[in-house]
């Protein structure tokens, strides 16, 4: 039995064939080079030979344009329409890439009809993958021309993801031409394709180091660190990076050292980190964290080392996003215990709330007892009470429990903030009417 995908593909191909046949039939006949009395010596147009049908002619750019316009005039359900458009655009791009891109980008890119589409994608963008991979420089020149306005961002991302699969070296060599907002994306998708090919990964890292200017190359290597394989001798790698002067090669050696510790336990991480001179422990803590991902077992240990080293900007800017995901998956009790060791700083507020929200919300009586066991005025208790109020309202619809918590908060500024959260809930739930 044919898969549903193949059925859609065949249906779309048939629809495109019909649309093109109609467009070809409407195309003005080409002037014949023969005169009426030239007879035997005159060349006869191939299109006028017996047995040739309009559908057998090779379509030109204007034929695809007519077919596209005709398609827009017909009634289709949304999935059939998109499938046919994709097929038509892919064929159109073979003969007139610019025209096909202009037609696609003139379409609305609302993709609500299919929640499975990435929100960063135009619904028709995948039709150009073949053209991009076969003619990367031509297609990039068109994309970079500015003719597609805000739609250029969709096209750049698709070009990058397509080329990462077929020619990652080209993507890396063009990082300097990409908008800064897309460089991290380009590095990540390219390196992701190489995670099963260590030799190619090493080659690409060397290319990264060579293509960056100044500290730019070091920043790129730090992004790529998340894709570095684990393994290797941490002691040997530590000696290697410690002996190198500042620059991209040292940064690469440093990140390789961090990657060698990706699967190490907390005791090993701390032991290795403490062997680093005090003045270098900040960059070492960052190197331990960066090769990890949100599912790594020792994310909390790595964040803790960065905090100990005083890398607060890094903690706030780089560690928070992975931490959010980690906290959603981790054991609530483990997270709550870790939260009690957090120092009182602006950078740790979100970490605290993300650490205790499930522990509090899962069992409100237990949470109340836990909070009451803390010293009055302790910042962990104060923040915990604010979170308790939120969980009482948002998760349990219990304004009385919320009021108990709010009345226990002694910090006027925090109490005002938490009362504001309650007012928001009251407006949303219609309680203030």
């Amino acid at each position: 039995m044919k898969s549903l995908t193949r059925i859609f593909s065949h249906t779309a191909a048939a629809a495109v064939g019909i649309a093109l046949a109609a467009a070809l039939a409407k195309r003005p006949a080409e002037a014949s080079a023969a005169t009426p009395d030239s007879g035997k010596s005159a060349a006869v147009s191939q299109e006028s030979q017996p047995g040739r049908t309009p559908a057998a002619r090779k379509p030109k750019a204007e034929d695809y344009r007519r077919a596209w316009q005709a398609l827009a005039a017909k009634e289709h359900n949304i999935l059939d329409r998109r499938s046919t458009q994709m097929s038509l655009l892919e064929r159109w791009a073979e003969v007139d890439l610019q025209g096909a891109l202009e037609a696609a980008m003139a379409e609305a890119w609302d993709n609500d009809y299919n929640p499975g589409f990435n929100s960063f994608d135009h619904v028709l963008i995948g039709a150009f993958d073949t053209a991009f991979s076969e003619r990367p420089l031509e297609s990039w020149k068109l994309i970079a021309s500015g003719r597609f306005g805000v739609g250029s961002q969709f096209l750049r991302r698709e070009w990058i993801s397509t080329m990462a699969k077929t020619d990652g070296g080209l993507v890396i060599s063009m990082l300097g031409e990409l908008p800064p907002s897309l460089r991290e994306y380009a590095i990540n998708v390219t390196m992701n394709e190489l995670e099963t090919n260590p030799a190619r990964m090493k080659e690409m890292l060397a290319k990264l180091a060579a293509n960056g200017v100044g500290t730019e190359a070091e920043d790129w290597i730090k992004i790529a660190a998340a894709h570095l394989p684990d393994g290797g001798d941490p002691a040997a790698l530590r000696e290697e990076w410690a002996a190198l002067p500042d620059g991209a090669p040292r940064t690469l050696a440093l990140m390789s050292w961090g990657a060698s510790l990706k699967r190490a336990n907390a005791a090993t991480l701390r032991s290795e980190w403490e062997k680093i001179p005090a003045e270098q422990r900040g960059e070492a803590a960052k190197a331990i964290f960066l090769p990890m991902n949100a599912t790594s077992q020792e994310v909390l240990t790595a964040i803790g080392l960065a905090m100990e080293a005083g890398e607060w900007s890094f903690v706030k800017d780089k560690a928070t996003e992975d931490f959010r995901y980690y906290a959603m998956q981790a054991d609530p009790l483990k997270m709550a215990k870790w939260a009690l060791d957090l120092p009182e700083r602006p950078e740790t507020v979100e970490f605290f709330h993300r650490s205790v929200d499930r522990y509090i919300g899962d069992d409100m009586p237990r949470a109340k007892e836990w909070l009451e066991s803390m010293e009055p005025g302790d910042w962990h208790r104060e923040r915990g009470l604010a979170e308790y109020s939120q969980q009482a309202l948002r998760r349990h619809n219990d304004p009385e429990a919320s009021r108990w918590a709010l009345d226990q908060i002694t910090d006027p500024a925090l109490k005002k903030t938490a009362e504001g959260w309650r007012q928001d809930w009251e407006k949303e739930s219609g309680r203030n009417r």
Side-chain angles (χ1 to χ4, degrees):
M1 180 181 291
K2 293 180 179 179
S3 69
L4 187 59
T5 301
R6 289 183 63 195
I7 291 172
F8 276 136
S9 177
H10 291 169
T11 302
V16 169
I18 293 170
L20 282 173
L24 284 161
K26 292 179 180 179
R27 193 171 76 193
E30 296 179 0
S32 172
T35 60
D37 58 350
S38 61
K40 298 177 183 179
S41 61
V44 180
S45 169
Q46 196 177 40
E47 290 182 1
S48 65
Q49 292 176 20
R52 298 285 292 184
T53 64
R57 301 169 187 159
K58 186 175 181 179
K60 296 182 179 179
E62 60 265 28
D63 299 314
Y64 285 104
R65 190 169 289 106
R66 287 194 192 95
W68 183 263
Q69 293 167 350
L71 182 62
K74 292 185 178 180
E75 292 289 334
H76 295 274
N77 72 58
I78 189 65
L79 290 177
D80 285 346
R81 176 185 175 82
R82 292 303 187 205
S83 181
T84 304
Q85 285 180 314
M86 291 281 285
S87 184
L88 179 58
L89 287 169
E90 185 173 6
R91 293 170 63 178
W92 189 353
E94 294 176 7
V95 299
D96 176 22
L97 178 56
Q98 179 178 325
L101 284 170
E102 289 173 345
M105 301 314 290
E107 288 283 296
W109 47 64
D110 179 3
N111 55 22
D112 288 346
Y113 79 96
N114 188 346
F117 270 80
N118 188 312
S119 60
F120 290 111
D121 290 341
H122 186 298
V123 292
L124 300 173
I125 207 77
F128 300 101
D129 289 355
T130 299
F132 288 173
S133 61
E134 291 180 351
R135 290 168 284 159
L137 296 180
E138 176 194 344
S139 56
W140 180 256
K141 185 177 180 180
L142 277 171
I143 293 167
S145 68
R147 69 178 66 245
F148 303 110
V150 294
S152 297
Q153 191 78 340
F154 293 112
L155 295 172
R156 289 189 186 101
R157 288 179 66 92
E158 188 69 14
W159 186 92
I160 290 166
S161 61
T162 299
M163 295 311 302
K165 296 179 177 68
T166 59
D167 191 354
L170 179 60
V171 177
I172 296 304
S173 70
M174 294 178 67
L175 282 176
E177 297 184 35
L178 297 178
S181 60
L182 281 178
R183 289 172 190 168
E184 182 171 351
Y185 173 76
I187 293 169
N188 279 324
V189 296
T190 300
M191 292 300 166
N192 189 58
E193 293 292 329
L194 301 175
E195 287 186 355
T196 57
N197 189 340
R200 184 70 173 137
M201 169 78 76
K202 185 176 181 180
E203 179 185 334
M204 205 61 65
L205 286 166
K207 199 175 189 71
L208 263 180
N211 283 332
V213 178
T215 58
E216 187 176 56
E218 297 175 51
D219 293 338
W220 293 351
I221 290 168
K222 289 174 183 177
I223 294 169
H227 305 276
L228 288 169
D230 58 352
D233 180 3
L237 290 167
R238 171 167 32 87
E239 291 177 4
E240 179 184 348
W241 71 259
L244 289 170
D246 290 345
R250 182 179 186 275
T251 300
L252 180 54
L254 175 62
M255 292 301 118
S256 297
W257 169 76
S260 74
L261 299 167
K262 275 203 289 192
R263 304 195 189 285
N265 59 31
T268 301
L269 286 177
R270 177 165 287 281
S271 174
E272 185 65 21
W273 182 71
E274 288 177 346
K275 293 172 184 174
I276 307 298
E279 66 275 11
Q280 296 178 345
R281 287 184 182 175
E283 63 176 342
K286 291 185 282 188
I288 288 173
F289 178 83
L290 286 172
M292 293 184 177
N293 58 47
T295 62
S296 298
Q297 292 299 307
E298 296 302 333
V299 165
L300 296 184
T301 301
I303 293 174
L305 294 177
M307 289 180 179
E308 282 188 48
E311 295 290 340
W312 294 109
S313 294
F314 175 83
V315 167
K316 181 180 179 181
D317 297 338
K318 297 293 185 182
T320 304
E321 185 174 349
D322 279 354
F323 176 78
R324 289 170 184 160
Y325 183 84
Y326 178 89
M328 289 169 55
Q329 315 297 320
D331 174 58
L333 177 59
K334 175 184 176 180
M335 296 305 303
K337 288 181 176 178
W338 183 78
L340 293 181
D341 289 328
L342 287 170
E344 183 179 7
R345 290 185 60 93
E347 299 90 348
T348 61
V349 169
E350 182 173 354
F351 284 88
F352 182 86
H353 282 276
R354 297 279 181 177
S355 297
V356 304
D357 56 359
R358 288 189 299 133
Y359 181 78
I360 291 174
D362 288 351
D363 189 335
M364 299 296 282
R366 175 191 65 185
K368 183 176 181 180
E369 183 177 342
W370 179 60
L371 292 167
E372 288 178 328
S373 71
M374 300 180 195
E375 288 292 325
D378 178 88
W379 91 274
H380 302 94
R381 173 186 163 99
E382 296 279 286
R383 281 286 167 183
L385 288 165
E387 183 63 37
Y388 184 99
S389 172
Q390 279 283 80
Q391 294 293 323
L393 297 172
R394 302 270 176 194
R395 189 165 172 180
H396 298 281
N397 196 32
D398 187 348
E400 291 184 9
S402 164
R403 175 48 54 199
W404 169 82
L406 292 172
D407 288 345
Q408 307 304 308
I409 297 175
T410 61
D411 179 349
L414 177 59
K415 186 168 186 175
K416 181 178 180 180
T417 298
E419 290 280 8
W421 295 342
R422 180 183 173 113
Q423 290 170 13
D424 291 340
W425 173 80
E426 289 173 343
K427 290 178 183 176
E428 294 167 17
S429 60
R431 298 290 185 113
N432 63 342
R433 293 176 183 173

